[in-house]
């Protein structure tokens, strides 16, 4: 199969461009993409666990634990034991975390809006549908785990 026909390369280039741009716009807010994602989901789901955050952010649990350790050291989050499951730590934003997230989210939303503005409503709907089809086919092609 010629390289020019490999959709994976195009998808990867788009993902890399999005990540590079978000990395650049989040840098002045002092956050990485993973840290921003963690703060965003903590705001949406107060008390979320590290394992759930890792799944939502698409990183491994050890990576998320490092992300959370760094955020906690900056006093952007607090982690407290769950009321019933003492070995599960609940994660919540601090006031400082909410302030940093507000700045970072303004920056990230500008990128998302600029990207969305390049497409008509119909094109965005078509793109979303096409990407969903890509995900479905790729998930169907993935070998089953052990």
């Amino acid at each position: 199969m010629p390289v020019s026909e490999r959709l994976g390369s195009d998808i990867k280039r788009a993902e890399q461009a999005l990540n590079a741009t978000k990395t650049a716009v989040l840098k002045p807010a002092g956050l990485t993409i993973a840290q921003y994602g963690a703060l965003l989901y903590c705001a949406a789901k107060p008390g979320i666990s590290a394992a759930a955050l890792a799944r939502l952010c698409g990183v491994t649990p050890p990576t998320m634990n490092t992300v959370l350790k760094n955020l906690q050291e900056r006093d952007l989050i607090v982690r407290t034991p769950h009321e019933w499951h003492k070995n599960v730590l609940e994660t919540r934003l601090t006031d400082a975390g909410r302030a940093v997230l507000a700045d970072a989210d303004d920056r990230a939303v500008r990128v998302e809006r600029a990207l969305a503005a390049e497409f008509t409503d119909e094109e965005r709907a078509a793109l979303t549908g096409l990407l969903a089809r890509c995900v479905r086919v790729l998930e169907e092609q993935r070998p089953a785990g052990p």
Side-chain angles (χ1 to χ4, degrees):
M1 173 183 244
V3 173
S4 62
E5 293 178 17
R6 295 178 188 226
L7 292 176
S9 296
D10 295 319
I11 293 168
K12 183 67 175 177
R13 280 199 334 267
E15 178 192 28
Q16 288 173 328
L18 178 62
N19 285 340
T21 301
K22 280 194 175 178
T23 294
V25 301
L26 291 172
K27 189 173 184 175
L31 296 177
T32 65
I33 291 173
Q35 290 170 334
Y36 166 68
L39 292 179
L40 194 62
Y41 284 115
C42 283
K45 299 173 180 276
I48 192 168
S49 70
L53 278 170
R55 284 189 297 276
L56 289 170
C57 293
V59 299
T60 64
T63 296
M64 183 52 64
N65 281 325
T66 300
V67 166
L68 294 176
K69 179 178 178 261
N70 291 332
L71 293 173
Q72 194 169 15
E73 287 173 356
R74 293 177 55 198
D75 294 320
L76 301 180
I77 61 165
V78 291
R79 299 180 75 197
T80 55
H82 185 276
E83 184 178 348
W84 302 301
H85 307 287
K86 298 300 180 190
N87 59 338
V88 173
L89 294 177
E90 296 182 326
T91 308
R92 289 184 171 73
L93 295 180
T94 62
D95 289 341
R98 280 186 279 284
V100 168
L101 175 59
D103 176 40
D105 199 40
D106 284 345
R107 295 167 183 279
V109 166
R110 281 195 295 269
V111 171
E112 294 286 349
R113 285 191 175 136
L115 182 58
E118 284 297 307
F119 302 96
T120 66
D121 290 344
E122 295 78 20
E123 288 172 329
R124 278 193 307 279
L127 179 58
T128 301
L130 292 169
L131 290 170
R133 279 174 48 195
C134 288
V135 170
R136 180 185 50 78
V137 168
L138 293 169
E139 288 176 347
E140 289 171 356
Q141 293 299 309
R142 187 180 315 140

